Amino acid sequence: MYITIDLGTTNIKFVLWSSDGQIIAKRSIHTPMEKDKTINPLKLIEIIKEIIENFERKYRNEILGISVGGMAESGLLIDKNGNPLTPIYTWLDNRGEEELIILQKIGKEKIFEITGLKINPKYSLAKILWIKKHHKNLWKDSYKWLNAVDFINYHFTGRAVTDFSLASRMLLFDIRNKEWAEEILNLCEIPMEKLPEIRPAGSIIEEKEYAYVLGGHDHPIGSITLDLSKGLYDSWGTAEALLIHTSKPMLTEYIRRLGYSVGCIGEGLYYVIAGIPYSGGIVKWIKEKLGFELKINPTKTSGILFFPYLMGKENKDSEIVKAFLYGLDINTSLRDIEQSIWEGVFYETKSIVESLKENFEFEKIIISGGMTKYKSLLQLKANILDMPLNISEERELTSKGLAFLIAKALNKTIESFKEKNFLIIYPQNNTEQFEKAYLEYKKIKGLLGL
């Protein structure tokens, strides 16, 4: 049996897998996110230890391995005894934006050539620079900066190690050479010894009562269960990530200008990833902030446009554009506004899909994640994208990907952990109205420099 832990923005998912790919037990616990978008690391470990101990009491002699994956761009400082010195700063936290100005000395083009990323405060480097400036003694006395997933592994193994996919989201990783980027470290005066060792996902960290296998960033790890030779993976949870596999890092000017990211999972396996930072998260927003219920009509457009930049989107002039509605008149109803919100999310998805088609060939879209439970939304999405959607039978592919990594590391069969079962949702015959609205959506995006 294998234990997998998926640390998500909304929930922590624990799954106990049989070696033939069946789920034996499953638990989901709300992620202890604080109001300031940080996580208490001790509370996190307490939750994880309790669930693991429950699994061990019942299946101790049958567990062969454990692997942890989850959200990226989230980390903390620890001391030499492994005690946390800071909370876990998550990807929703933008502190460090001012400190990142130092990277202008290298230039955004070269930063992308080195790391595959654009300069953005959500990445680990921003938090590190903020701590260095505002908590100098804390930084001086610290031992390591670890990603949240790495901290969980460190607690159980005592080894400070991260994988390629999480390192790819730190703005510190030389993606071509798969090592820490010395030029960036030297400019920012960050000693390399304060960062963890880097290994490919699926490496065995340590073998104790069972093997601790290195997991990684949730979206890329989920993708390894899929055949993406001619497919695009849409991982749709709180955030939405659209991912393409490549055999080499696609560090092209086209990808950089689009603002997409390039990352690495293992030797010879890279990816291009784009997305909407707050896509599925809109369910919570419309319920808690707007008081809407999830009622939409997948067959008829609202007649207005919503631009879903709730966390801001940078345009070509480096200005941040926020979310807004366009086209309201005296006939607009609240139901129209709710409908338009989801249409806008899917128009944005469609614009990403179209841009990826300029450089990559794919014939199908595979979707997984918590948002696949909303069938009316999936139908609206298929109608707007005007493409069949292959819905993964397993919603939580990250967990399945982690089990895949354990099986592979232990030289066990991996076929059971390859996703093969899909529900196909086809677009209906009335897609022309959505296409017309989408063209207007694209026109306004162009005027805004997006």
Side-chain angles (χ1 to χ4, degrees), residues 109 112 251-258:
E109 291 84 3
F112 178 79
L251 301 170
T252 66
E253 181 63 11
Y254 179 78
I255 298 298
R256 186 191 72 79
R257 286 188 177 277
L258 287 171

Side-chain angles (χ1 to χ4, degrees), residues 29-30 37 120 139 147 159 224 235 253 263 277 297 307 389 401:
I29 304 293
H30 189 68
K37 307 304 181 186
N120 190 298
W139 173 253
N147 292 299
R159 297 184 181 276
I224 63 176
S235 178
E253 181 63 11
N297 182 350
F307 293 78
L389 303 181

Side-chain angles (χ1 to χ4, degrees), residues 4-8 11-13 69-71 218 396 398-399 402:
T4 63
I5 304 171
D6 175 12
L7 174 60
N11 295 300
I12 312 168
K13 286 144 286 196
M71 58 179 163
D218 47 13
E396 306 300 341
T398 299
S399 297
L402 293 168

Side-chain angles (χ1 to χ4, degrees), residues 271-333:
Y271 60 88
V272 173
I273 190 169
I276 306 170
Y278 208 65
S279 178
I282 283 178
V283 170
K284 182 177 180 181
W285 176 64
I286 64 172
K287 286 182 178 180
E288 294 183 359
K289 302 298 184 182
L290 305 182
F292 290 159
E293 295 298 324
L294 191 60
K295 295 180 180 179
I296 59 102
N297 182 350
T299 64
K300 186 177 180 181
T301 179
S302 65
I304 56 178
L305 298 173
F306 174 72
F307 293 78
Y309 311 132
L310 291 171
M311 298 185 67
K313 185 176 178 66
E314 186 178 348
N315 69 8
K316 294 176 181 178
D317 298 322
S318 299
E319 297 171 336
I320 301 299
V321 178
K322 291 294 187 72
F324 65 96
L325 287 159
Y326 173 81
L328 281 72
D329 60 29
I330 59 173
N331 296 313
T332 301
S333 68

Side-chain angles (χ1 to χ4, degrees), residues 399-425:
S399 297
K400 200 167 191 177
L402 293 168
F404 175 99
L405 290 175
I406 298 171
K408 189 173 183 181
L410 298 179
N411 295 315
K412 306 293 185 180
T413 179
I414 59 174
E415 284 303 311
S416 299
F417 298 102
K418 293 181 178 180
E419 186 65 359
K420 301 183 180 73
N421 299 317
F422 304 94
L423 167 69
I424 302 179
I425 296 181

